[in-house]
Amino acid sequence: MLSRVAENIYWLARYLERAEDTARLISVNSHLLLDFPQATSLGWSSLVTITGSEALFNQHYREPDEVSVLNFLCMDRRYSGSILSSLAAARENLRTTRDVMPNSIWEEVNRLYLSVVKQAEQGLSPRMRDSFLTQVIRSCNTVNGIIAGTLSHTQVRTFLRLGRQLERADMTTRIIDVRSANLLPRSAEDLKPFETLQWMSVLKSLSGYQMYRQQVRLAVRGPDVLRFLLQDEAFPRAVACCIGQLSRELASLPRHQPALAAAERCQRLLSGACIDKLARQPDRLHDFIDLVQIALSELHGDICLSWFAPFETDTWTPQQVQSQQG
């Protein structure tokens, strides 16, 4: 497979996963706000924090209120991670690789993109928010279903899965970091009455609430949620599961040694964590999540260097590759 084609397929998967995850995050936050009294400071700014785009948001918006955050995360083309921007990028990557992808995937992605463009022109009202987010999530799931049912088990499918699993792992760590540490006021008297709702929101942001109850069979508690989302090897959006699947895909590719070694380092970091201690010390949890995100960034860099980088960039570091990708 050509390096250019492999890279476009990899980013196609990442952008689709990003659009779906952003829609899930907004949907869960919308419903969570209904469960909290207005006296709490729970709001919309945490969603911008999760995406790591506070600087760009502050350049273009005065306050992180509901309307501004929704427009920024859903429809703002100036933000490359918005739902509209992600789908536009996914569509362009798919357009350039249509000869190796089933036509039904192009039709579904194109239909979703045009629908989101139309919605952006009309504006996203609170009344239309739920149906809009549901459409994005279902269409992305439809694309994944078409891939699972119609795409041959070739390197095309391998690079799609690499992109999807890495993007999922990254989003899971971001949600854990912000939701567990910054979502609610830090004073004990404010946090305690809503602690269960907070951890439930973390699970629901990743569509993991039902699977958690089936797997853990205990009340929703911080340490158990963290253990489930970081170390569980069966739940598809748990970081350990994502990296495990990614490692199996890497092993099927030539020149996989550097990227596979990076994935194994990430797995060792996850499996060696003492979750009970991290759950009791938010600062240590934040530092640990930073280490995991650095490991994921290095893994992404090794994937780029192994299969995407031009020959003249053989001396690039993983960090330089990531800066080129934005």
Side-chain angles (χ1 to χ4, degrees), residues 3-40:
S3 173
R4 173 186 57 80
V5 175
E7 184 173 16
N8 287 348
I9 290 171
Y10 172 83
W11 280 103
L12 160 65
R14 292 202 66 163
Y15 284 126
L16 283 175
E17 184 67 28
R18 192 172 300 174
E20 179 186 349
D21 291 345
T22 301
R24 289 179 186 276
L25 197 60
I26 297 170
S27 179
V28 170
N29 198 72
S30 299
H31 290 94
L32 182 65
L33 286 171
L34 300 176
D35 295 325
F36 283 80
Q38 294 183 355
T40 64

Side-chain angles (χ1 to χ4, degrees), residues 65-253:
D65 53 30
E66 179 179 0
V67 174
S68 298
V69 172
L70 284 175
N71 185 71
F72 179 71
L73 294 179
C74 292
M75 304 301 185
D76 198 329
R77 288 184 180 271
R78 295 169 298 188
Y79 170 43
S80 62
S82 70
I83 291 175
L84 179 57
S85 295
S86 296
L87 290 175
R91 179 176 180 267
E92 178 60 22
N93 280 280
L94 182 56
R95 185 189 65 79
T96 62
T97 56
R98 287 185 64 183
D99 55 331
V100 297
M101 300 289 286
N103 287 334
S104 52
I105 295 178
W106 164 257
E107 292 169 0
E108 184 64 32
V109 172
N110 190 52
R111 184 184 303 115
L112 174 60
Y113 170 74
L114 294 177
S115 176
V116 172
V117 168
K118 182 178 180 180
Q119 186 66 64
E121 293 172 350
Q122 297 173 351
L124 185 61
S125 65
R127 185 174 61 86
M128 297 296 296
R129 181 196 307 159
D130 283 348
S131 60
F132 168 77
L133 297 173
T134 298
Q135 178 191 16
V136 173
I137 294 169
R138 287 182 176 174
S139 291
C140 290
N141 283 336
T142 298
V143 172
N144 288 333
I146 296 172
I147 291 171
T150 65
L151 187 62
S152 297
H153 290 264
T154 63
Q155 289 184 351
V156 173
R157 189 172 180 132
T158 298
F159 282 104
L160 277 171
R161 287 175 63 84
L162 290 180
R164 183 195 306 160
Q165 299 307 323
L166 193 57
E167 187 69 27
R168 280 186 181 179
D170 178 70
M171 179 59 80
T172 297
T173 59
R174 290 175 181 272
I175 290 175
I176 290 173
D177 190 23
V178 176
R179 291 293 195 188
S180 61
N182 301 323
L183 180 60
L184 295 175
R186 299 301 297 270
S187 61
E189 61 270 17
D190 287 336
L191 176 60
K192 191 170 182 180
F194 309 112
E195 186 173 3
T196 297
L197 283 176
Q198 181 198 26
W199 289 111
M200 285 175 61
S201 78
V202 173
L203 290 167
K204 290 180 178 179
S205 295
L206 297 163
S207 298
Y209 178 66
Q210 288 179 288
M211 295 300 101
Y212 169 88
R213 296 305 297 264
Q214 291 181 21
Q215 180 77 11
V216 181
R217 297 183 181 277
L218 294 172
V220 178
R221 296 175 54 252
D224 296 325
V225 173
L226 289 173
R227 189 175 296 106
F228 179 71
L229 293 178
L230 288 172
Q231 297 179 332
D232 191 271
E233 297 183 356
F235 177 57
R237 294 182 182 275
V239 181
C241 182
C242 291
I243 302 303
Q245 292 185 25
L246 189 147
S247 297
R248 289 188 286 274
E249 297 294 337
L250 286 173
S252 68
L253 295 172

